């Protein structure tokens, strides 16, 4: 009998990631998280539990946070995926990234990509959260070392930075551009 | 771990999906939001040879409100249903329950119909479908059939759907005018599956309690309806909370696990129901 892996069907999968169309040939069972990390070498997206609980793998799909470990890459075709790499660079950090560095919102950084994507999308809907709302917004993400106090502070600081930047006419974060149907390049 | 190899089918119509299920249904799973199925595949608790991915099927993503109920298509995500203002106006219990389903990121992808098809005793929506005397609309090779909630849930994770049937929608029922509803649960962390939960509907007429019913999460094998009308009593200002708690304790059949003992869950759900009845009547 042939081994099932020998006959496993491969799919040419093209996904728009951070505004760039990326293609790889993968089996249907390739999780979106592994597609990003292994096939596209975008290792910013982290994988903790691989069953939806920890939130480390959270990416934005058409602007909405989703677990990349609970989607197959074949399902992401025709969708716009934003990873932490798409939310800023070391030279030009997004407001959430900036807030995490200012407020000591990370220690080892393993959980951070999932927090940054989750919070970025959250602030689009709720630009001025209270501390309690911030806590609720991050309740689906686990951090095992920093502690949540500083992460809550980071959410509030990110909201502030984001409002300041918008008021000052700064570019909006990449995901905001995607939300508005743009090409994914910051305006 | 990773899922075992499978053949991915991406039908674009209900007819096509049912045709695939007819030919491979015995070795297939329907893939909706994947928020319960993909963990099961990754943990290799199941390894079907085929996945029938319905995410590209047209016409399944609408919420329709009518006199009789709220019809929710198989691709309506939890988050979409929770946001729907017409559905909230017709049946506030939907949003009251949906905010307890998992975390926002899971609600963005998971479907309401999927959580009913999954039939987890710890799921909120099976209890809501049951309390509203709702119906599952199933399509199979033999055509369409309506399955009432009372017949749909056969056991934990077990439903009356056949291998080759697709649930295309569920219809939640509506309560008569004068009905107030509420939902309460306790989970260790916000968004986790509840240790115990309860949905309540109380109908008032001429300032008297005409009907009071409840259904439960995590403390019954399959969701069912407990009639609390007699226990609550006629006076909305003075419900008999001890009678309510007794009736709940006698009705539920919780199991113990690492999260909580059976006794604790029984005590907890009785207390949750007391508080919820009080809250609903004092609005
Ligand atoms: C971390 C985490 C926490 C969660 N917490 C909760 C919670 O507190 N409460 C809760 O209720 N749920 C919770 N869930 C589960 C979530 O609600 C899922 O969305 C839901 O259980 C299944 O919906 P789905 O669309 O993702 O279905 P899938 O995962 O795609 O499918 C689930 C099952 O139903 C079948 N199925 C799905 N749709 C159909 C259909 N249309 N016709 C026939 N069969 C179908 C599938 O074949 C499969 O067997 C949680 C999930 C995670 C990962
Ligand atoms: S790795 Fe996806 S939620 Fe933990
Ligand atoms: S920073 Fe280490 S797990 Fe969160």
């Amino acid at each position: 009998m042939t081994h099932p892996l020998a006959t496993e069907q491969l799919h040419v999968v093209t996904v728009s990631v951070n505004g760039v169309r990326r293609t790889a040939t993968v089996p249907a069972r390739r999780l979106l998280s592994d597609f990003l990390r292994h096939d596209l070498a975008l290792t910013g997206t982290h994988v903790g539990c691989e069953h939806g609980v920890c939130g480390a793998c959270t990416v934005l799909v058409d602007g909405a946070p989703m677990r990349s470990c609970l989607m197959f890459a074949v399902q992401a075709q025709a969708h716009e995926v934003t990873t932490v790499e798409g939310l800023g660079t070391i030279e030009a950090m997004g407001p959430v990234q900036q807030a995490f560095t200012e407020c000591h919102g990370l220690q080892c950084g393993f959980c951070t990509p999932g927090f940054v994507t989750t919070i970025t999308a959250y602030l689009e809907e709720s630009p001025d959260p209270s501390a309690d709302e911030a806590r609720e917004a991050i309740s689906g993400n686990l951090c095992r070392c920093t502690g949540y106090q500083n992460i809550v502070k980071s959410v509030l600081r990110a909201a502030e930075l984001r409002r300041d930047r918008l008021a000052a006419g700064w570019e909006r974060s990449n995901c905001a551009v995607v939300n508005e149907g743009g090409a994914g390049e910051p305006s | 771990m990773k899922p075992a190899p499978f053949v991915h089918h991406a039908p674009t119509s209900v007819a096509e999906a049912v045709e695939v299920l007819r030919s491979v249904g015995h070795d297939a799973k329907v893939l909706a939001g994947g928020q319960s199925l993909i963990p099961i595949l990754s943990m290799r608790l199941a390894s079907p040879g085929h996945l029938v991915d319905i995410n590209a099927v047209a016409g399944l993503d609408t919420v329709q409100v009518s006199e009789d109920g709220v019809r929710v298509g198989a691709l309506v995500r939890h988050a979409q249903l929770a946001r729907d203002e017409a559905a909230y106006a017709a049946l506030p219990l939907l949003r009251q329950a949906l905010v307890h389903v998992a975390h926002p990121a899971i609600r963005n992808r998971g479907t309401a119909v999927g959580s009913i098809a999954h039939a987890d005793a710890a799921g909120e929506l099976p209890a809501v479908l049951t309390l509203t005397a709702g119906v599952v609309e199933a399509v199979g090779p033999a055509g369409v059939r309506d399955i009432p909630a009372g017949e749909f849930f056969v056991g934990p994770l077990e439903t009356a759907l056949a291998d080759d049937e697709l649930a295309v929608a569920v219809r939640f029922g509506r309560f008569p005018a004068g009905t107030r509803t509420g939902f309460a649960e306790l989970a260790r962390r916000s968004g986790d599956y509840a240790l115990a939960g309860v949905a309540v509907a109380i109908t008032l007429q001429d300032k008297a309690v005409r009907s009071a019913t409840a259904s439960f999460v995590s403390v019954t094998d399959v969701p069912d309806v407990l009639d609390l009308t007699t226990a609550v009593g006629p006076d909305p200002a003075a419900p008999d909370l001890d009678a309510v708690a007794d009736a709940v304790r006698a009705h539920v059949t919780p199991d113990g696990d690492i999260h909580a003992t059976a006794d604790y869950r029984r005590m907890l759900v009785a207390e949750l129901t007391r508080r919820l009845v009080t809250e609903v009547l004092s609005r």
Side-chain angles (χ1 to χ4, degrees):
Chain A
M1 201 184 118
T2 7
H3 192 273
L5 290 180
T7 55
E8 190 172 10
Q9 204 187 342
L10 296 177
H11 299 253
V12 180
V13 172
T14 301
V15 182
S16 172
V17 183
N18 302 324
V20 181
R21 285 166 63 79
R22 305 286 304 265
T23 302
T25 302
V26 299
R29 63 193 174 120
R30 179 75 90 244
L31 299 171
L32 178 58
S33 44
D34 290 340
F35 180 77
L36 293 169
R37 291 178 54 83
H38 303 318
D39 298 298
L40 304 186
L42 289 172
T43 51
T45 299
H46 290 174
V47 172
C49 66
E50 217 162 57
H51 57 263
V53 175
C54 75
C57 69
T58 307
V59 299
L60 307 182
V61 179
D62 301 328
M66 292 186 193
R67 305 291 202 229
S68 61
C69 74
L70 297 187
M71 266 182 87
F72 294 112
V74 286
Q75 299 186 291
Q77 304 192 83
H79 295 282
E80 193 67 50
V81 173
T82 307
T83 67
V84 70
E85 289 96 339
L87 296 178
T89 60
I90 292 181
E91 298 73 36
M93 283 191 262
V96 182
Q97 294 165 324
Q98 177 75 37
F100 268 69
T101 57
E102 286 181 19
C103 302
H104 195 139
L106 72 156
Q107 190 163 301
C108 77
F110 193 85
C111 65
T112 314
F115 276 97
V116 172
T117 48
T118 302
I119 295 163
T120 300
Y122 174 72
L123 293 178
E124 288 290 318
E125 278 186 18
S126 313
D128 191 13
S130 66
D132 277 351
E133 287 165 345
R135 200 165 275 118
E136 176 65 25
I138 58 164
S139 66
N141 293 69
L142 299 182
C143 174
R144 304 314 299 270
C145 64
T146 301
Y148 297 103
Q149 306 295 352
N150 285 351
I151 300 182
V152 171
K153 279 185 208 150
S154 303
V155 179
L156 301 178
R157 177 67 183 137
E160 225 168 59
L161 284 169
R162 187 179 162 279
R163 287 195 306 270
D164 290 353
R165 289 189 186 187
L166 287 176
W170 277 49
E171 68 198 29
R172 305 185 78 186
S173 64
N174 190 22
C175 91
V177 175
V178 170
N179 272 338
E180 283 157 11
E185 287 303 311
S187 50
Chain B
M1 287 217 316
K2 310 293 177 187
F6 56 80
V7 179
H8 180 252
H9 302 266
T12 54
S13 70
V14 170
E16 204 188 319
V18 170
E19 177 50 30
V20 179
L21 285 171
R22 193 192 54 77
S23 57
V24 297
H26 57 283
D27 186 26
K29 280 279 179 195
V30 171
L31 174 63
Q35 305 300 287
S36 294
L37 183 57
I38 297 180
I40 289 171
L41 300 176
S42 286
M43 293 186 247
R44 301 269 175 125
L45 296 172
S47 43
H50 301 261
L51 286 193
V52 184
D53 181 347
I54 59 171
N55 285 278
V57 173
L60 297 183
D61 59 354
T62 55
V63 179
Q64 292 156 294
V65 177
S66 70
E67 292 288 298
D68 311 323
V70 179
R71 183 179 185 276
V72 178
L75 283 179
V76 174
R77 316 287 167 178
H78 295 304
Q80 179 191 348
L81 183 57
R83 270 196 309 266
D84 194 293
E85 292 300 336
Y88 179 64
L91 187 61
L93 183 57
L94 282 175
R95 187 180 293 169
Q96 290 163 350
L98 280 162
V99 296
H100 296 283
V101 175
H103 314 287
I106 311 278
R107 295 202 289 268
N108 282 337
R109 183 87 187 151
T111 65
V113 173
S115 83
I116 285 164
H118 189 55
D120 193 323
E124 287 80 2
L125 293 182
V128 171
L129 189 76
T130 303
L131 191 64
T132 66
V135 169
V136 176
E137 283 177 34
V139 179
V144 190
R145 66 173 179 137
D146 277 355
I147 313 173
E151 292 162 28
F152 184 77
F153 301 106
V154 177
L157 305 178
E158 225 187 309
T159 72
L161 272 183
D163 282 348
D164 55 5
E165 278 183 316
L166 178 69
V168 290
V170 298
R171 296 198 307 271
F172 294 93
R174 288 177 71 168
F175 296 109
T179 305
R180 303 173 189 179
T181 61
F183 195 98
E185 69 172 45
L186 190 87
R188 289 270 185 222
R189 289 173 310 188
S190 151
D192 279 6
Y193 281 105
L195 295 178
V198 56
V200 156
I202 303 180
T203 308
L204 298 181
Q205 225 175 45
D206 304 326
K207 296 192 176 135
V209 173
R210 288 288 163 224
S211 137
T213 52
S215 88
F216 302 94
V217 175
S218 295
V219 289
T220 52
D221 281 351
V222 292
D224 55 6
V225 178
L226 172 63
D227 190 340
L228 286 171
T229 315
T230 318
V232 171
D235 183 357
D240 186 345
L241 297 174
D242 289 338
V244 167
D246 285 345
V248 171
R249 269 193 297 269
H251 178 76
V252 298
T253 52
D255 288 327
D257 60 19
I258 55 165
H259 303 294
T261 62
D263 281 348
Y264 176 66
R265 284 177 205 262
R266 182 176 280 109
M267 186 282 285
L268 177 63
V269 72
E271 183 58 29
L272 286 171
T273 313
R274 279 174 81 106
R275 293 185 192 184
L276 185 62
V277 167
T278 311
E279 191 258 311
V280 166
L281 284 175
S282 63
R283 264 185 226 150

